Coordinates of all heavy atoms in Angstrom, one line a residue:
M118 N 1.1 5.5 -8.2 CA 0.4 4.2 -7.9 C -0.7 4.6 -6.8 O -0.5 5.4 -6.0 CB 1.4 3.2 -7.3 CG 0.9 2.1 -6.5 SD 2.1 0.8 -6.3 CE 2.8 1.3 -4.7
K119 N -1.9 3.9 -6.9 CA -3.0 4.2 -6.0 C -3.3 3.0 -5.2 O -3.1 1.8 -5.7 CB -4.2 4.7 -6.7 CG -4.0 6.1 -7.3 CD -5.3 6.6 -8.0 CE -5.0 7.9 -8.5 NZ -6.1 8.5 -9.2
L120 N -3.8 3.2 -4.0 CA -4.2 2.2 -3.1 C -5.6 2.5 -2.6 O -5.8 3.7 -2.3 CB -3.2 2.1 -1.9 CG -3.4 1.2 -0.8 CD1 -3.0 -0.2 -1.2 CD2 -2.7 1.6 0.4
Y121 N -6.4 1.6 -2.5 CA -7.8 1.8 -2.0 C -7.9 1.1 -0.6 O -7.6 -0.1 -0.5 CB -8.8 1.4 -3.0 CG -8.8 2.2 -4.2 CD1 -8.0 1.8 -5.3 CD2 -9.4 3.4 -4.3 CE1 -7.9 2.5 -6.5 CE2 -9.3 4.2 -5.5 CZ -8.6 3.7 -6.5 OH -8.5 4.5 -7.7
A122 N -8.4 1.8 0.4 CA -8.4 1.3 1.7 C -9.8 1.6 2.4 O -10.4 2.6 2.0 CB -7.3 1.8 2.6
T123 N -10.1 0.8 3.4 CA -11.2 1.1 4.3 C -10.9 1.9 5.5 O -11.7 2.5 6.2 CB -12.0 -0.1 4.6 OG1 -11.1 -1.1 5.2 CG2 -12.6 -0.8 3.3
S124 N -9.6 1.8 5.9 CA -9.1 2.5 7.1 C -7.6 2.7 7.0 O -6.9 1.9 6.4 CB -9.4 1.8 8.4 OG -8.6 0.7 8.6
I125 N -7.1 3.8 7.5 CA -5.7 4.1 7.4 C -5.3 4.8 8.8 O -6.2 5.2 9.5 CB -5.3 5.1 6.3 CG1 -6.1 6.4 6.4 CG2 -5.5 4.5 4.9 CD1 -5.7 7.5 5.5
P126 N -4.0 4.7 9.1 CA -3.6 5.4 10.4 C -3.7 6.9 10.3 O -3.8 7.4 9.2 CB -2.1 4.9 10.5 CG -1.7 4.5 9.2 CD -2.9 4.1 8.4
Q127 N -3.7 7.5 11.5 CA -3.7 9.0 11.5 C -2.6 9.7 10.7 O -2.9 10.6 10.0 CB -3.7 9.5 13.0 CG -4.9 9.2 13.8 CD -6.0 10.2 13.5 OE1 -5.8 11.3 13.2 NE2 -7.3 9.7 13.6
S128 N -1.4 9.2 10.9 CA -0.3 9.8 10.2 C 0.3 8.8 9.2 O 0.5 7.6 9.5 CB 0.8 10.3 11.1 OG 1.7 9.3 11.5
L129 N 0.4 9.2 7.9 CA 1.0 8.4 6.9 C 2.4 8.8 6.6 O 2.8 9.9 6.9 CB 0.1 8.5 5.6 CG -1.3 8.0 5.6 CD1 -2.1 8.4 4.4 CD2 -1.2 6.5 5.7
P130 N 3.2 7.9 6.0 CA 4.5 8.3 5.6 C 4.5 9.4 4.6 O 3.5 9.6 3.9 CB 5.1 7.0 5.0 CG 4.1 5.9 5.2 CD 2.9 6.5 5.6
S131 N 5.6 10.1 4.4 CA 5.7 11.2 3.5 C 5.4 10.9 2.0 O 5.0 11.7 1.2 CB 7.1 11.9 3.6 OG 8.1 11.0 3.2
W132 N 5.6 9.6 1.7 CA 5.3 9.2 0.3 C 3.9 8.8 0.0 O 3.5 8.4 -1.1 CB 6.3 8.0 -0.1 CG 6.4 7.0 1.0 CD1 7.5 6.9 1.9 CD2 5.6 5.9 1.2 NE1 7.3 5.8 2.7 CE2 6.1 5.1 2.3 CE3 4.4 5.4 0.6 CZ2 5.5 4.0 2.8 CZ3 3.8 4.3 1.1 CH2 4.3 3.6 2.2
A133 N 3.0 8.9 1.0 CA 1.6 8.6 0.9 C 0.7 9.8 1.1 O 0.9 10.5 2.1 CB 1.2 7.4 1.8
T134 N -0.3 10.0 0.2 CA -1.2 11.1 0.3 C -2.6 10.7 0.1 O -2.9 10.0 -0.8 CB -0.8 12.2 -0.7 OG1 0.5 12.6 -0.6 CG2 -1.7 13.4 -0.5
V135 N -3.5 11.1 1.0 CA -4.9 10.8 0.8 C -5.5 11.7 -0.3 O -5.4 12.9 -0.2 CB -5.7 11.0 2.2 CG1 -7.2 10.8 1.9 CG2 -5.2 10.0 3.2
I136 N -6.0 11.1 -1.3 CA -6.6 11.8 -2.4 C -8.1 12.1 -2.2 O -8.6 13.1 -2.4 CB -6.4 11.0 -3.7 CG1 -5.0 10.7 -4.0 CG2 -7.1 11.7 -4.9 CD1 -4.1 12.0 -4.2
S137 N -8.8 11.0 -1.7 CA -10.2 11.2 -1.4 C -10.7 10.2 -0.3 O -10.0 9.2 -0.1 CB -11.1 11.0 -2.6 OG -11.0 9.7 -3.1
N138 N -11.8 10.6 0.4 CA -12.4 9.7 1.4 C -13.9 9.8 1.2 O -14.5 10.7 1.8 CB -11.9 10.2 2.8 CG -12.4 9.2 3.9 OD1 -13.2 8.4 3.6 ND2 -11.8 9.4 5.1
N139 N -14.5 9.0 0.4 CA -15.9 9.0 0.1 C -16.5 7.7 0.6 O -16.1 6.7 0.1 CB -16.1 9.3 -1.4 CG -15.6 10.6 -1.8 OD1 -15.8 11.6 -1.1 ND2 -14.9 10.6 -2.9
A140 N -17.6 7.8 1.4 CA -18.4 6.7 1.8 C -17.5 5.5 2.4 O -17.8 4.4 2.1 CB -19.2 6.2 0.6
G141 N -16.5 5.9 3.1 CA -15.7 4.9 3.7 C -14.6 4.2 2.8 O -13.9 3.3 3.3
L142 N -14.5 4.7 1.6 CA -13.5 4.2 0.7 C -12.4 5.3 0.6 O -12.7 6.4 0.1 CB -14.1 3.9 -0.7 CG -13.1 3.3 -1.7 CD1 -12.5 2.0 -1.2 CD2 -13.7 3.2 -3.1
I143 N -11.2 5.0 1.0 CA -10.1 6.0 1.1 C -9.2 5.7 -0.1 O -8.7 4.6 -0.2 CB -9.4 5.9 2.4 CG1 -10.4 6.1 3.6 CG2 -8.3 6.9 2.4 CD1 -9.8 5.6 4.9
E144 N -8.9 6.7 -0.9 CA -8.0 6.6 -2.0 C -6.7 7.2 -1.6 O -6.6 8.4 -1.2 CB -8.6 7.3 -3.3 CG -7.7 7.2 -4.5 CD -8.3 7.9 -5.7 OE1 -9.3 8.5 -5.5 OE2 -7.7 7.7 -6.8
V145 N -5.6 6.4 -1.7 CA -4.3 6.9 -1.3 C -3.3 6.9 -2.5 O -3.2 5.8 -3.1 CB -3.7 6.0 -0.1 CG1 -2.3 6.5 0.3 CG2 -4.6 6.0 1.1
E146 N -2.7 8.0 -2.7 CA -1.7 8.1 -3.8 C -0.3 7.8 -3.2 O 0.1 8.3 -2.2 CB -1.7 9.4 -4.4 CG -0.7 9.6 -5.5 CD -1.2 9.0 -6.9 OE1 -2.4 9.1 -7.2 OE2 -0.3 8.4 -7.6
I147 N 0.4 6.8 -3.8 CA 1.8 6.4 -3.4 C 2.8 7.0 -4.3 O 2.7 6.8 -5.5 CB 1.9 4.9 -3.3 CG1 0.8 4.3 -2.5 CG2 3.3 4.5 -2.9 CD1 0.9 4.6 -1.0
N148 N 3.7 7.8 -3.8 CA 4.8 8.3 -4.6 C 5.9 7.2 -4.7 O 6.8 7.2 -3.8 CB 5.4 9.6 -4.0 CG 6.5 10.2 -4.8 OD1 6.9 9.6 -5.8 ND2 7.1 11.3 -4.3
D149 N 5.8 6.4 -5.7 CA 6.8 5.3 -5.8 C 8.2 5.7 -6.3 O 9.0 4.9 -6.4 CB 6.2 4.2 -6.7 CG 5.8 4.7 -8.1 OD1 6.1 5.8 -8.4 OD2 5.3 3.8 -8.9
K150 N 8.4 7.0 -6.4 CA 9.7 7.5 -6.8 C 10.5 8.0 -5.5 O 11.7 8.3 -5.6 CB 9.6 8.6 -7.8 CG 9.1 8.1 -9.1 CD 9.1 9.1 -10.2 CE 8.6 8.8 -11.5 NZ 8.1 7.5 -11.8
D151 N 9.8 8.1 -4.4 CA 10.4 8.5 -3.2 C 11.4 7.5 -2.6 O 11.1 6.4 -2.6 CB 9.3 8.7 -2.1 CG 9.7 9.4 -0.8 OD1 10.5 8.7 -0.1 OD2 9.3 10.5 -0.6
P152 N 12.6 8.0 -2.3 CA 13.7 7.1 -1.8 C 13.3 6.4 -0.5 O 13.7 5.2 -0.4 CB 14.9 8.1 -1.5 CG 14.6 9.3 -2.2 CD 13.1 9.4 -2.4
E153 N 12.5 7.0 0.4 CA 12.1 6.3 1.6 C 11.1 5.1 1.2 O 11.2 4.0 1.8 CB 11.3 7.2 2.5 CG 12.3 8.2 3.2 CD 11.5 9.1 4.2 OE1 10.5 8.6 4.8 OE2 12.0 10.2 4.4
F154 N 10.3 5.3 0.2 CA 9.4 4.2 -0.3 C 10.2 3.1 -0.8 O 10.0 1.9 -0.5 CB 8.4 4.8 -1.3 CG 7.5 3.7 -1.9 CD1 6.5 3.3 -1.1 CD2 7.8 3.2 -3.1 CE1 5.6 2.3 -1.7 CE2 6.9 2.2 -3.7 CZ 5.8 1.8 -2.9
H155 N 11.3 3.4 -1.6 CA 12.1 2.3 -2.2 C 12.9 1.6 -1.1 O 13.0 0.3 -1.2 CB 13.1 2.9 -3.2 CG 12.5 3.2 -4.5 ND1 12.3 2.2 -5.5 CD2 12.0 4.3 -5.1 CE1 11.7 2.7 -6.5 NE2 11.5 4.0 -6.3
S156 N 13.3 2.3 -0.1 CA 14.0 1.6 1.0 C 13.1 0.6 1.7 O 13.5 -0.5 2.0 CB 14.6 2.7 2.0 OG 15.1 2.1 3.1
M157 N 11.9 1.1 2.0 CA 10.9 0.2 2.7 C 10.6 -1.0 1.8 O 10.4 -2.1 2.3 CB 9.7 1.1 3.0 CG 8.7 0.4 3.9 SD 7.3 -0.4 2.9 CE 7.0 0.8 1.7
I158 N 10.4 -0.8 0.5 CA 10.1 -1.9 -0.4 C 11.2 -2.9 -0.4 O 10.9 -4.1 -0.4 CB 9.8 -1.3 -1.8 CG1 8.5 -0.5 -1.9 CG2 9.8 -2.4 -2.9 CD1 7.3 -1.4 -1.7
E159 N 12.4 -2.5 -0.4 CA 13.6 -3.4 -0.3 C 13.5 -4.3 0.9 O 13.8 -5.5 0.9 CB 14.9 -2.7 -0.4 CG 15.2 -2.1 -1.8 CD 16.5 -1.3 -1.8 OE1 17.3 -1.5 -0.9 OE2 16.6 -0.5 -2.8
E160 N 13.1 -3.7 2.1 CA 12.9 -4.4 3.3 C 11.9 -5.5 3.2 O 12.0 -6.6 3.8 CB 12.6 -3.5 4.5 CG 13.7 -2.7 5.0 CD 13.2 -1.8 6.2 OE1 12.3 -2.3 7.0 OE2 13.6 -0.7 6.2
L161 N 10.8 -5.2 2.5 CA 9.6 -6.1 2.4 C 9.7 -7.1 1.2 O 8.9 -8.0 1.2 CB 8.3 -5.3 2.2 CG 7.9 -4.5 3.4 CD1 6.7 -3.7 3.0 CD2 7.6 -5.4 4.6
S162 N 10.7 -7.0 0.4 CA 10.9 -7.8 -0.8 C 11.1 -9.3 -0.4 O 11.9 -9.6 0.5 CB 12.0 -7.4 -1.7 OG 11.7 -6.2 -2.3
T163 N 10.3 -10.2 -1.0 CA 10.4 -11.6 -0.8 C 10.2 -12.3 -2.1 O 9.7 -11.7 -3.0 CB 9.4 -12.1 0.3 OG1 8.1 -11.8 -0.2 CG2 9.6 -11.5 1.6
E164 N 10.4 -13.6 -2.1 CA 10.1 -14.4 -3.3 C 8.6 -14.7 -3.2 O 8.2 -15.5 -2.4 CB 10.9 -15.7 -3.3 CG 10.8 -16.4 -4.6 CD 11.7 -17.6 -4.7 OE1 11.8 -18.4 -3.7 OE2 12.3 -17.8 -5.8
I165 N 7.8 -14.0 -4.0 CA 6.3 -14.2 -4.0 C 5.9 -15.4 -4.8 O 4.8 -15.9 -4.6 CB 5.6 -12.9 -4.4 CG1 6.0 -12.4 -5.8 CG2 5.8 -11.8 -3.4 CD1 5.3 -11.2 -6.3
Q166 N 6.7 -15.8 -5.8 CA 6.5 -17.0 -6.6 C 7.8 -17.5 -6.9 O 8.8 -16.7 -6.9 CB 5.7 -16.7 -7.9 CG 4.3 -16.3 -7.7 CD 3.6 -16.1 -9.0 OE1 4.2 -16.3 -10.1 NE2 2.4 -15.6 -9.0
P167 N 8.0 -18.8 -7.2 CA 9.3 -19.3 -7.5 C 10.0 -18.5 -8.6 O 9.5 -18.3 -9.7 CB 9.1 -20.7 -7.9 CG 7.8 -21.1 -7.3 CD 7.0 -19.8 -7.2
G168 N 11.1 -17.9 -8.2 CA 11.9 -17.1 -9.2 C 11.4 -15.7 -9.4 O 12.0 -14.9 -10.1
I169 N 10.4 -15.3 -8.7 CA 9.8 -13.9 -8.8 C 9.9 -13.2 -7.4 O 9.3 -13.7 -6.5 CB 8.4 -13.9 -9.3 CG1 8.3 -14.5 -10.7 CG2 7.8 -12.4 -9.4 CD1 6.9 -14.7 -11.2
V170 N 10.7 -12.1 -7.4 CA 10.8 -11.3 -6.1 C 9.9 -10.1 -6.2 O 9.9 -9.4 -7.3 CB 12.3 -10.9 -5.9 CG1 12.4 -10.0 -4.7 CG2 13.1 -12.2 -5.7
G171 N 9.2 -9.8 -5.2 CA 8.3 -8.7 -5.2 C 7.8 -8.4 -3.7 O 8.4 -9.0 -2.8
V172 N 6.8 -7.6 -3.6 CA 6.3 -7.2 -2.3 C 4.8 -7.5 -2.4 O 4.1 -7.1 -3.3 CB 6.5 -5.7 -2.0 CG1 5.8 -5.3 -0.7 CG2 8.0 -5.5 -1.9
K173 N 4.3 -8.2 -1.4 CA 2.8 -8.5 -1.3 C 2.1 -7.2 -0.7 O 2.6 -6.6 0.2 CB 2.6 -9.6 -0.3 CG 3.1 -11.0 -0.8 CD 2.8 -12.0 0.2 CE 3.4 -13.4 -0.2 NZ 3.2 -14.4 0.8
A174 N 1.1 -6.8 -1.3 CA 0.3 -5.7 -0.9 C -0.1 -5.8 0.6 O -0.1 -4.9 1.3 CB -0.9 -5.4 -1.8
S175 N -0.4 -7.1 0.9 CA -0.9 -7.3 2.3 C 0.2 -7.0 3.3 O 0.0 -6.5 4.4 CB -1.4 -8.8 2.5 OG -0.3 -9.7 2.1
D176 N 1.5 -7.3 3.0 CA 2.6 -7.0 3.8 C 2.8 -5.5 4.0 O 3.1 -5.0 5.1 CB 3.9 -7.6 3.3 CG 3.9 -9.1 3.4 OD1 3.1 -9.7 4.1 OD2 4.8 -9.8 2.7
L177 N 2.7 -4.8 2.9 CA 2.8 -3.3 2.9 C 1.7 -2.7 3.8 O 2.0 -1.9 4.6 CB 2.7 -2.8 1.5 CG 2.7 -1.3 1.3 CD1 4.0 -0.7 1.8 CD2 2.4 -0.9 -0.1
C178 N 0.5 -3.2 3.6 CA -0.6 -2.7 4.4 C -0.5 -3.0 5.9 O -0.8 -2.1 6.7 CB -2.0 -3.2 3.9 SG -2.4 -2.5 2.3
L179 N 0.0 -4.2 6.2 CA 0.2 -4.6 7.6 C 1.2 -3.7 8.2 O 1.1 -3.3 9.4 CB 0.6 -6.1 7.6 CG 0.8 -6.6 9.0 CD1 -0.5 -6.6 9.8 CD2 1.3 -8.1 8.9
M180 N 2.3 -3.4 7.5 CA 3.4 -2.5 8.1 C 2.8 -1.2 8.5 O 3.3 -0.6 9.5 CB 4.5 -2.4 7.0 CG 5.7 -1.6 7.5 SD 6.9 -1.7 6.2 CE 8.4 -1.4 7.2
F181 N 1.8 -0.6 7.8 CA 1.3 0.7 8.0 C -0.1 0.8 8.6 O -0.7 1.8 8.6 CB 1.5 1.6 6.8 CG 2.9 1.9 6.4 CD1 3.5 1.1 5.4 CD2 3.6 2.8 7.1 CE1 4.8 1.4 5.1 CE2 4.9 3.0 6.9 CZ 5.6 2.3 5.9
S182 N -0.6 -0.4 9.1 CA -1.9 -0.5 9.6 C -3.0 0.0 8.7 O -3.9 0.8 9.1 CB -2.0 0.3 11.0 OG -1.0 -0.2 11.9
I183 N -2.9 -0.4 7.4 CA -3.9 0.0 6.4 C -4.8 -1.2 6.2 O -4.3 -2.3 5.9 CB -3.2 0.5 5.1 CG1 -2.4 1.7 5.4 CG2 -4.2 0.7 4.0 CD1 -1.5 2.1 4.2
D184 N -6.1 -1.0 6.2 CA -7.1 -2.1 5.8 C -7.4 -1.8 4.3 O -8.2 -1.0 4.0 CB -8.3 -2.0 6.7 CG -8.1 -2.5 8.1 OD1 -7.2 -3.3 8.3 OD2 -8.8 -2.0 9.0
M185 N -6.8 -2.6 3.5 CA -7.0 -2.5 2.0 C -8.3 -3.1 1.6 O -8.7 -4.1 2.2 CB -5.8 -3.2 1.3 CG -5.7 -2.8 -0.1 SD -4.2 -3.3 -0.8 CE -4.6 -4.9 -1.4
V186 N -8.9 -2.6 0.6 CA -10.1 -3.1 0.0 C -9.8 -4.4 -0.7 O -8.8 -4.4 -1.5 CB -10.8 -2.1 -1.0 CG1 -12.0 -2.8 -1.7 CG2 -11.2 -0.9 -0.2
D187 N -10.5 -5.5 -0.4 CA -10.3 -6.8 -1.1 C -11.1 -6.8 -2.3 O -12.3 -7.1 -2.3 CB -10.6 -7.9 -0.2 CG -10.2 -9.3 -0.8 OD1 -9.8 -9.3 -1.9 OD2 -10.4 -10.3 -0.1
T188 N -10.5 -6.7 -3.5 CA -11.3 -6.7 -4.8 C -11.7 -8.1 -5.2 O -12.5 -8.3 -6.1 CB -10.5 -6.0 -5.9 OG1 -9.3 -6.6 -6.0 CG2 -10.3 -4.5 -5.6
N189 N -11.1 -9.1 -4.5 CA -11.4 -10.5 -4.9 C -12.6 -11.1 -4.0 O -13.0 -12.2 -4.2 CB -10.2 -11.4 -4.7 CG -9.1 -11.0 -5.6 OD1 -9.3 -10.7 -6.8 ND2 -7.9 -11.0 -5.1
E190 N -13.0 -10.3 -3.1 CA -14.1 -10.7 -2.2 C -15.4 -10.8 -2.9 O -15.8 -9.8 -3.6 CB -14.2 -9.7 -1.0 CG -14.9 -10.3 0.2 CD -14.7 -9.3 1.3 OE1 -13.7 -9.3 2.0 OE2 -15.7 -8.5 1.5
E191 N -16.1 -11.9 -2.8 CA -17.5 -12.0 -3.4 C -18.5 -11.5 -2.5 O -18.5 -11.7 -1.3 CB -17.8 -13.5 -3.8 CG -16.9 -14.0 -4.9 CD -17.2 -15.4 -5.3 OE1 -18.4 -15.8 -5.0 OE2 -16.4 -16.1 -5.8
N192 N -19.5 -10.8 -3.0 CA -20.6 -10.2 -2.2 C -21.8 -11.1 -2.2 O -22.2 -11.8 -3.1 CB -21.0 -8.8 -2.7 CG -19.9 -7.9 -2.5 OD1 -19.2 -7.9 -1.5 ND2 -19.7 -6.9 -3.4

């Protein structure tokens, strides 16, 4: 799984790797098979819609001080 960010902390968890950093756009690869990642996801799991449990990307980014690119933002 990939995440695109405009800023990331100096040290990332073992399950996250910076793939590229071009023109202020940082591409991070997430190893979603890592047990530490699964443990953290379980902590962040909430009901995101009635009857649907998941994790909000914003909660994940907030936990690790990552400024994610907002693809819904109009220019």
Side-chain angles (χ1 to χ4, degrees):
M118 161 168 95
K119 291 184 180 177
L120 174 80
Y121 296 92
T123 55
S124 71
I125 59 173
Q127 288 281 329
S128 84
L129 291 171
S131 61
W132 43 262
T134 305
V135 174
I136 301 299
S137 67
N138 185 350
N139 295 316
L142 182 63
I143 304 162
E144 182 179 8
V145 180
E146 180 78 39
I147 304 294
N148 178 2
D149 56 3
K150 295 186 182 356
D151 187 291
E153 287 182 32
F154 178 76
H155 280 278
S156 174
M157 186 262 323
I158 289 295
E159 286 178 20
E160 282 181 40
L161 291 175
S162 292
T163 60
E164 188 173 46
I165 56 176
Q166 290 181 6
I169 299 174
V170 174
V172 174
K173 294 179 184 176
S175 59
D176 291 345
L177 176 64
C178 291
L179 183 61
M180 184 176 203
F181 291 101
S182 301
I183 296 172
D184 289 330
M185 196 168 87
V186 174
D187 184 359
T188 57
N189 295 320
E190 199 173 277
E191 292 184 25
N192 293 324

